[in-house]
Amino acid sequence: MAKKNRMANEINAGSMADIAFLLLIFFLVTTTIAEDKGVLVKLPPFSNDPPPELKLNTRNVYSVLVNAQNQLLVRGEQMDIAKLKSNTKIFIANPQKLENMAVSPKDAIISLKNDRGTKYGTYLEVYNELKAAYNELWDEASMVKFGKGFEEISADKQKEIKEEIPLILSEAEPTKFGDEK
Amino acid sequence: MSKFKKKQGNTTPGISTASLPDIVFMLLFFFMVVTKMRDTELMVTVNTPQASEMTKLEKKTLVNFIFIGRPTEKYTKQVGTKPRIQLGDKFSTTDDIPLFLAKHRESVPEGQKQSIISSLKVDKDVTMGIVGDVKTSLRKAGQLKLNYSAKQRERTK
């Protein structure tokens, strides 16, 4: 009698949920939703010949040096990273038409140079600030022209603005100071 | 004698939890499909810096990863503590980069090869010397699209 009774019992599925939850939590912990984001960069093609000597008007060149002590030298003067973006923007846009800044945004060239001993974190921070300066300028330009943020306008319009304010960032070969111990 | 009998057997039955496992399994499968198991073991410590001007990497198949950092504790005995490059699942030098890129390029369908991006996952405390070497050899190999992997932060005021 007792045996028959047990047979009729259903398997308790109540714990199934717990097991599944356990599995779920295991997967949540072990996997990473890969957030692959980063600063996009385009490198110049490699050539063995030394780059051609360009006669550039010094007023158009914004030279940024990052040394092995992670200090910043911008156009011969030391600068704080926090001020880099705003100063770069002023240099490119040159709202007061100063003699020592870019003739027009089209002519502005950013030259970035680092030592071999520069920390990558600092380098990327500087690169990021320079890019941020351009992104903000693009944003402002598109606001004036189209009344919308740079991200919201169509690709053609973005191109139009980028032609007006082109991002020209030249990276020099790093100097051999303070290489890894 | 009361007129109203206590109704019996008409109490609300407990909500059936029988479908709960199904729901949870559905969630489980969703996460299994969406997330990606870490396929390569990281042999170097990579703590990426923060940046604000980010671009998202859209197609995973078009991306190859280059890790640069100091070897993890497990490997310091074998290779020391100097920053190393990790390609795939082994320590490499800059000389191995062209082959690594060629192998990846082969797996990418024709017509999409020009949109291959190299993602550099570099520790923020590594010096630029090794990063510069990698960059040079990437340029030599004709891989010009780069992505410095970083963590999102707000743009500075």
Side-chain angles (χ1 to χ4, degrees):
Chain A
M1 275 297 265
K3 214 175 186 180
K4 214 176 183 182
N5 205 5
R6 215 187 295 159
M7 287 280 280
N9 269 349
E10 258 184 87
I11 298 167
N12 187 7
S15 55
M16 189 84 135
D18 301 338
I19 295 164
F21 262 121
L22 220 71
L23 271 169
L24 177 66
I25 288 160
F26 170 75
F27 267 95
L28 278 177
V29 171
T30 52
T31 57
T32 47
I33 301 180
E35 22 80 62
D36 271 318
K37 277 173 142 192
V39 183
L40 202 68
V41 176
K42 202 149 192 292
L43 298 177
F46 185 82
S47 81
N48 274 317
D49 323 319
E53 284 286 326
L54 278 176
K55 273 265 175 266
L56 284 172
N57 200 340
T58 37
R59 68 177 280 191
N60 287 327
V61 182
Y62 197 69
S63 69
V64 180
L65 268 107
V66 195
N67 75 357
Q69 276 75 48
N70 303 315
Q71 290 161 325
L72 223 61
L73 196 73
V74 180
R75 307 191 101 189
E77 278 169 54
Q78 204 167 343
M79 194 188 282
D80 208 39
I81 283 188
K83 290 188 192 132
L84 180 63
K85 190 181 70 181
S86 52
N87 283 342
T88 311
K89 274 175 75 180
I90 293 169
F91 165 80
I92 302 162
N94 196 4
Q96 293 171 316
K97 301 278 169 236
L98 291 175
E99 278 294 301
N100 60 344
M101 290 182 185
V103 177
S104 78
K106 270 184 199 166
D107 298 305
I109 289 174
I110 313 268
S111 153
L112 179 61
K113 196 170 182 175
N114 60 275
D115 286 341
R116 283 185 73 90
T118 308
K119 256 190 196 165
Y120 172 74
T122 316
Y123 166 81
L124 195 68
E125 208 180 333
V126 169
Y127 201 104
N128 186 62
E129 291 304 299
L130 294 173
K131 215 175 165 186
Y134 271 101
N135 276 343
E136 280 189 11
L137 283 172
W138 289 338
D139 221 29
E140 284 162 19
S142 93
M143 267 302 189
V144 170
K145 239 180 162 176
F146 306 109
K148 273 189 246 169
F150 187 68
E151 297 293 320
E152 285 136 52
I153 56 176
S154 66
D156 288 343
K157 286 176 181 171
Q158 284 190 352
K159 217 174 174 185
E160 205 180 306
I161 284 173
K162 276 188 181 173
E163 261 164 36
E164 225 138 277
I165 313 172
L167 200 171
I168 308 169
L169 207 159
S170 116
E171 281 187 77
E173 282 293 312
T175 41
K176 292 192 168 57
F177 284 118
D179 203 3
E180 199 67 48
K181 289 128 256 169
Chain B
M1 229 176 41
S2 63
K3 250 185 174 174
F4 306 101
K5 271 182 194 162
K6 212 180 186 179
K7 280 181 183 168
Q8 270 186 338
N10 206 13
T11 50
T12 49
I15 301 162
S16 165
T17 54
S19 55
L20 199 58
D22 302 336
I23 295 162
V24 177
F25 267 118
M26 221 153 74
L27 267 172
L28 177 65
F29 290 142
F30 171 75
F31 274 98
M32 279 170 73
V33 171
V34 166
T35 58
K36 176 175 158 257
M37 274 283 225
R38 197 166 279 169
D39 47 2
T40 47
E41 179 207 5
L42 266 184
M43 291 146 77
V44 290
T45 47
V46 173
N47 184 11
T48 52
Q50 289 185 323
S52 59
E53 313 308 309
M54 310 277 259
T55 317
K56 225 176 174 180
L57 286 178
E58 293 296 351
K59 281 205 162 173
K60 280 283 157 54
T61 47
L62 295 178
V63 181
N64 49 52
F65 294 97
I66 297 169
F67 302 94
I68 306 171
R70 291 182 189 277
T72 49
E73 246 176 69
K74 204 172 145 193
Y75 296 98
T76 42
K77 269 194 188 142
Q78 300 164 33
V79 291
T81 55
K82 263 186 120 177
R84 289 297 190 119
I85 305 163
Q86 185 190 343
L87 299 172
D89 54 0
K90 49 185 177 294
F91 289 115
S92 313
T93 60
T94 46
D95 302 332
D96 303 322
I97 289 178
L99 187 68
F100 171 75
L101 289 174
K103 266 186 193 160
H104 175 250
R105 198 161 294 180
E106 225 163 68
S107 70
V108 173
E110 207 65 53
Q112 290 182 310
K113 289 196 199 288
Q114 73 282 354
S115 23
I116 295 175
I117 297 175
S118 278
S119 174
L120 256 68
K121 288 184 182 271
V122 186
D123 194 274
K124 62 180 171 195
D125 291 325
V126 164
T127 57
M128 280 307 286
I130 190 166
V131 183
D133 293 343
V134 169
K135 263 162 72 184
T136 313
S137 79
L138 282 172
R139 279 171 62 198
K140 278 183 188 165
Q143 172 64 47
L144 302 177
K145 274 190 183 167
L146 266 194
N147 187 58
Y148 295 123
S149 191
K151 295 187 193 94
Q152 182 80 54
R153 72 160 158 83
E154 288 290 302
R155 194 181 277 175
T156 46
K157 287 279 133 50

